[in-house]
Amino acid sequence: MANKSRRNFVKTAAIAGAGFTIVPRSVLGRGFQAPSDVLNIAVVGVGGMGSSNAAAVMSQNIVAICDVDDALLDRSLMRWRDRVYPLPSAAPAGGGRGRQGGRGQGQGQAGPPRPVWQDFGKSALQTEADGKWTPAGGTADTKKFVEEQMPRLKRYRDYREMLAQQTDIDAVVVATPDHMHAVIASNAMDLGKHVYVQKPMCWSVHEARHLAQRAAEKKVVTQMGNQGHSQDAARRGQDYLAAGAIGEIREVHVWTNRPLAFWPQGIPRPEAMSGQSPTGWNNSAITRRLAAAMVGDYPVPDTLAWNLFLGVAPDVEYHPVYHPFNWRGWVDWGQGALGDMGAHLIDHPVWGLKLGLPTVIETSSTPFNGVCYPNATTTRYEFAARDGMPAVKLVWYDGGLLPPKPEEMGEESLSGEGGVLYIGSKGKMLQDTYGAKPRLLPLEMHDSYGPPRERMARVPHQAHEMNWVNAIKGHDTISSPFSYAAHLTEIMLLGVASLRANSKLHYDGAAMRITNNEAANGFLTRSYRTGYSL
């Protein structure tokens, strides 16, 4: 295997195997396990997080991979191959002397000392959970995949063909662009497949409700890809909240730096100049010039099935500014920074404060053209009192916007990447992105309070994907099922609906209805192109 050329390797990996079958659990019936005690898993979308998700379940049997872009699929196959059989690395330039020209140690003036919160280490419950099973470690699972599974792996461009033709699939990982999550997951669940869907769970509020209902009806195991939900630190944060460490919480601030330096937003769709060319340089003229400057001869790559990429979304001419990855910033396919990172950040207050659906949502932003999300937004949510807990106002910031810094932080700055700030009657609490590093403010309160009493069960090895696998097998409790994830996703997408409606929204969650702006209800759903349905 190590001597095969890269081209022959990809060619071999593309050949569909014959004569080898692992009996799917659906054939054996509920409560029975396949003879090999592994799941047959298909992965749809491997160009981004799908590659990481697939790698995380390589202890199982990956029987199919589907992607509309052959180049991205081949790149993932080669990455896994190179992990097992790395190519010889070149010697460092300059004889290995290391980086030159940086500021030497001791140069410049040191800033004020940064506060150091006591790290209480791994929780006892996490240690206990980790004892339930032992990961293979290293590249063992990847090696097994490369050598045993990849040569017989079946490849598809169209997930519909995969689901129709391949009956040995037990479970499906969905890691496509946002606009395709719901239809793929729904079609898979209709066939009794368990599903793991990347965040955000879907593109519209209606889709979120549909997926939760379908999962309950089909009694399949579901998981959204907000992996922070399975981390020990995030669950320690939940323990602080459950203990009432900072008293009653009526105000929460959540922020991310996305999309900065990740993908473009706030730009026009490529469009040829029409009419008289602008002579000035005001905002409108610059926008027209930029749209015209992006126009060019960009044929669809042979490796890309653009019509399948569009899927449920409207017909838009291909342009490399849309794909790969940049689709996140375009309304047709993505949900911007709120959809990308809300599941990793808003998750924690929704979870810990048992927030219902918001009654009022209002998003403001930098200029928004309706087709490409703006550079920065702020969304204000109002949540009613519930279960003896007070009403909560939650504010979301993205694009580099930040909440006011608590005075208890002194010279310390808020994380520029993102975080959560809870304002309580007895103190404050900070968490980083994914719920990491929960810490009380002020520093003295954190150190004197100590670690909270451990209440919330931990996920073995904090392994979000394997939590899903083991829950399917009946060995674990699912971490972020659709019954919860749909609720979280609806909250996030209501902020996007307010942006698109350019309106404050009053929301009747029970009826899934905006009551003060009838037209805005159109942003809670979408029409699908012919050939696609939930």
Side-chain angles (χ1 to χ4, degrees), residues 126 196 199 223-238 342-352 431 433-436 456-460 462-465 467 477-485 488:
Q126 187 65 56
Y196 180 107
K199 51 75 193 170
Q223 182 99 296
M224 183 169 75
N226 53 331
Q227 64 270 19
H229 207 83
S230 291
Q231 293 180 2
D232 186 27
R235 291 177 176 240
R236 174 166 283 163
Q238 296 298 304
H344 294 315
L345 288 156
I346 295 177
D347 177 19
H348 306 286
V350 169
W351 187 15
Q431 288 181 280
T433 303
Y434 309 108
M456 179 165 287
R458 278 12 181 210
V459 174
Q462 306 174 75
H464 199 58
E465 293 91 344
N467 166 258
T477 301
I478 196 67
S479 176
S480 185
F482 285 3
S483 56
Y484 169 79
L488 170 61

Side-chain angles (χ1 to χ4, degrees), residues 149-313:
Q149 299 175 20
M150 195 179 289
R152 62 177 180 264
L153 187 69
K154 295 185 179 180
R155 292 176 55 152
Y156 299 87
R157 278 184 162 185
D158 191 330
Y159 76 93
R160 295 168 297 185
E161 293 180 5
M162 181 189 77
L163 292 176
Q165 296 175 13
Q166 197 156 343
T167 59
D168 62 338
I169 297 169
D170 294 310
V172 180
V173 174
V174 182
T176 62
D178 303 347
H179 68 296
M180 294 300 292
H181 287 184
V183 68
I184 299 173
S186 182
N187 293 173
M189 288 191 291
D190 283 344
L191 297 172
K193 316 298 184 187
H194 308 283
V195 291
Y196 180 107
V197 179
Q198 260 305 327
K199 51 75 193 170
M201 197 170 96
C202 52
W203 188 91
S204 74
V205 169
H206 169 258
E207 290 174 339
R209 296 216 176 182
H210 169 86
L211 290 179
Q213 180 179 348
R214 187 55 51 87
E217 292 170 349
K218 293 296 181 177
K219 296 181 172 57
V220 292
V221 178
T222 59
Q223 182 99 296
M224 183 169 75
N226 53 331
Q227 64 270 19
H229 207 83
S230 291
Q231 293 180 2
D232 186 27
R235 291 177 176 240
R236 174 166 283 163
Q238 296 298 304
D239 288 337
Y240 275 122
L241 296 176
I246 60 172
E248 286 193 339
I249 299 171
R250 299 174 182 271
E251 181 181 345
V252 182
H253 299 268
V254 188
W255 69 99
T256 182
N257 61 348
R258 267 61 160 194
L260 297 181
F262 288 88
W263 64 87
Q265 289 188 186
I267 61 176
R269 201 184 289 283
E271 183 179 4
M273 189 75 72
S274 60
Q276 184 176 358
S277 297
T279 57
W281 291 93
N282 59 20
N283 188 63
S284 175
I286 291 173
T287 298
R288 291 183 64 196
R289 292 175 192 269
L290 178 58
M294 289 191 287
V295 173
D297 182 17
Y298 299 110
V300 179
D302 293 338
T303 57
L304 174 63
W306 179 246
N307 192 55
L308 293 178
F309 171 90
L310 292 175
V312 303

Side-chain angles (χ1 to χ4, degrees), residues 31 103 111 122 191 226 274 311 447 463 470 473 508 511:
R103 180 187 293 182
K122 185 177 181 180
L191 297 172
N226 53 331
S274 60
D447 290 347
N470 288 325
K473 297 178 180 182
D508 179 353

Side-chain angles (χ1 to χ4, degrees), residues 274-403:
S274 60
Q276 184 176 358
S277 297
T279 57
W281 291 93
N282 59 20
N283 188 63
S284 175
I286 291 173
T287 298
R288 291 183 64 196
R289 292 175 192 269
L290 178 58
M294 289 191 287
V295 173
D297 182 17
Y298 299 110
V300 179
D302 293 338
T303 57
L304 174 63
W306 179 246
N307 192 55
L308 293 178
F309 171 90
L310 292 175
V312 303
D315 191 15
V316 173
E317 185 178 355
Y318 168 79
H319 192 285
V321 78
Y322 302 138
H323 171 81
F325 192 67
N326 286 351
W327 52 263
R328 286 195 182 281
W330 297 91
V331 171
D332 287 333
W333 313 299
Q335 293 295 349
L338 181 51
D340 180 56
M341 294 304 293
H344 294 315
L345 288 156
I346 295 177
D347 177 19
H348 306 286
V350 169
W351 187 15
L353 301 182
K354 301 178 175 61
L355 298 179
L357 291 170
T359 56
V360 180
I361 311 99
E362 185 173 19
T363 299
S364 57
S365 75
T366 53
F368 176 44
N369 59 20
V371 296
C372 186
Y373 290 107
N375 287 320
T377 70
T378 300
T379 301
R380 293 171 172 81
Y381 296 94
E382 295 181 17
F383 296 89
R386 67 268 164 243
D387 299 330
M389 303 172 79
V392 171
K393 293 185 177 180
L394 184 150
V395 187
W396 164 268
Y397 314 78
D398 61 42
L401 301 179
L402 293 170

Side-chain angles (χ1 to χ4, degrees), residues 423-446:
I423 311 295
S425 58
K426 298 179 181 178
K428 299 179 175 69
M429 187 174 87
L430 277 172
Q431 288 181 280
D432 289 351
T433 303
Y434 309 108
K437 295 176 60 178
R439 53 211 186 272
L440 305 181
L441 297 175
L443 172 64
E444 295 75 18
M445 178 181 179
H446 175 83

